[in-house]
Amino acid sequence: MASRLLDLVVSRWKTFVALAVVLPLALTAAASTVLQQTEASVGLWARAVPAVSQAGTGAGSANPAQAQAEAMTQVISTNAFADALRQAMDRAHIGADVSERNQLAAAVLTRFRATTAGSHLVVLSSPCDLPATCVRVLGAAVEAYNQQASKLQAAENSQIQAALGSQVDDAQNALVQAENAVATYRAQHPGETASTGPTDPQVDLLLAQLTAAKQQVTSLQGKMSDLQVAAASRAAESALTSLDPPHVAHRGIIGDGGVTQAALILLGCLGVAAGYLMIRYRLDDTAYDPKALERRLRVPLLVTIPRFSAMRRF
């Protein structure tokens, strides 16, 4: 089989060279010059895990960049982000009018792609046809995302503060009741102090309840204060900072361009050449030795004429 394949390659060497060498070179040249797409991207620095990931599926993400990329992918697909993007584009005066802005926003919303480039670096990119416009739209997208992330963070903080505030109200009501109980007892027993004789066990119970209520109120108020400070800090840390400003780059349609693209094209063309070779092998009915010819014709072979090279003919 190997000898037959080698004979086919030698006999069809022009076709094989065209498929395995000329075609890959031509396609690689075309891909590097014509078959390219323009892509706008921005590098964003993620300092902390966003609120949407802490409350959702990204809670177990390995690092802030991965959590932010997952959160960004989720937020970008919402109608709220689409509205925020159009508003940001309007503030930046992107597009001639509202209709053009809506068209630009609709075109890029489904093409945004958030990837990671390290533990803290998120790359937001989008293919585009108008490079200058794409760069501005990408900047508006970052602004819109930070706005939505801030809203999510504020909503989460409001829920926590509301729950803690309810506990503070209950503790303050318990404190007022304890104070009223102590005042009532003292009004009913004027002049009774610890120095006048043994104290009533009821007084000890009321004073213990009053002390516990005061400690509970103080503790919850401290937690509320700490929560407000932590919320302000988390809001600042959750915002994405543009580390690499929006810019335009060119990438190949196949792979990421360059060597990867050329290698994929070469492998594809080699596969086509191998397929062509196997088809020719299947269709080839040439007998390469006397035994094969006898088996095919079912008659004995009497004489063979050897092939002489041009130098041995004379």
Side-chain angles (χ1 to χ4, degrees), residues 221-239:
Q221 288 177 342
K223 289 181 179 180
M224 180 68 77
S225 178
D226 293 341
L227 176 63
Q228 293 173 348
V229 173
S233 176
R234 287 171 59 190
E237 290 180 351
S238 296

Side-chain angles (χ1 to χ4, degrees), residues 249-263:
H250 299 282
R251 63 188 299 269
I253 292 180
I254 305 175
D256 293 329
V259 177
T260 302
Q261 181 171 262

Side-chain angles (χ1 to χ4, degrees), residues 193-300:
T193 61
S195 61
T196 60
T199 58
D200 188 346
Q202 185 178 358
V203 177
D204 294 336
L205 177 62
L206 292 175
L207 292 177
Q209 291 176 347
L210 179 60
T211 302
K214 288 181 179 179
Q215 291 176 350
Q216 181 71 4
V217 170
T218 302
S219 175
L220 290 175
Q221 288 177 342
K223 289 181 179 180
M224 180 68 77
S225 178
D226 293 341
L227 176 63
Q228 293 173 348
V229 173
S233 176
R234 287 171 59 190
E237 290 180 351
S238 296
L240 291 174
T241 305
S242 294
L243 184 63
D244 189 12
H247 60 280
V248 174
H250 299 282
R251 63 188 299 269
I253 292 180
I254 305 175
D256 293 329
V259 177
T260 302
Q261 181 171 262
L264 291 174
I265 292 175
L266 177 60
L267 289 176
C269 291
L270 288 176
V272 172
Y276 169 79
L277 192 61
M278 292 305 298
I279 291 174
R280 295 297 306 180
Y281 174 79
R282 293 290 185 182
L283 298 178
D284 186 24
D285 58 356
T286 305
Y288 288 88
D289 59 78
K291 297 291 185 182
L293 188 59
E294 287 180 348
R295 286 194 301 268
R296 184 173 301 176
L297 299 178
R298 297 180 180 178
V299 294

Side-chain angles (χ1 to χ4, degrees), residues 48-56 59 71 147-165 224 227-228 230-235 238:
V49 175
V52 66
S53 287
Q54 293 172 348
Q147 180 183 354
Q148 294 303 303
S150 177
K151 286 183 178 180
L152 291 170
Q153 186 73 59
E156 181 187 8
N157 293 335
S158 297
Q159 292 177 357
I160 298 175
Q161 289 178 1
L164 192 56
M224 180 68 77
L227 176 63
Q228 293 173 348
S233 176
R234 287 171 59 190
S238 296

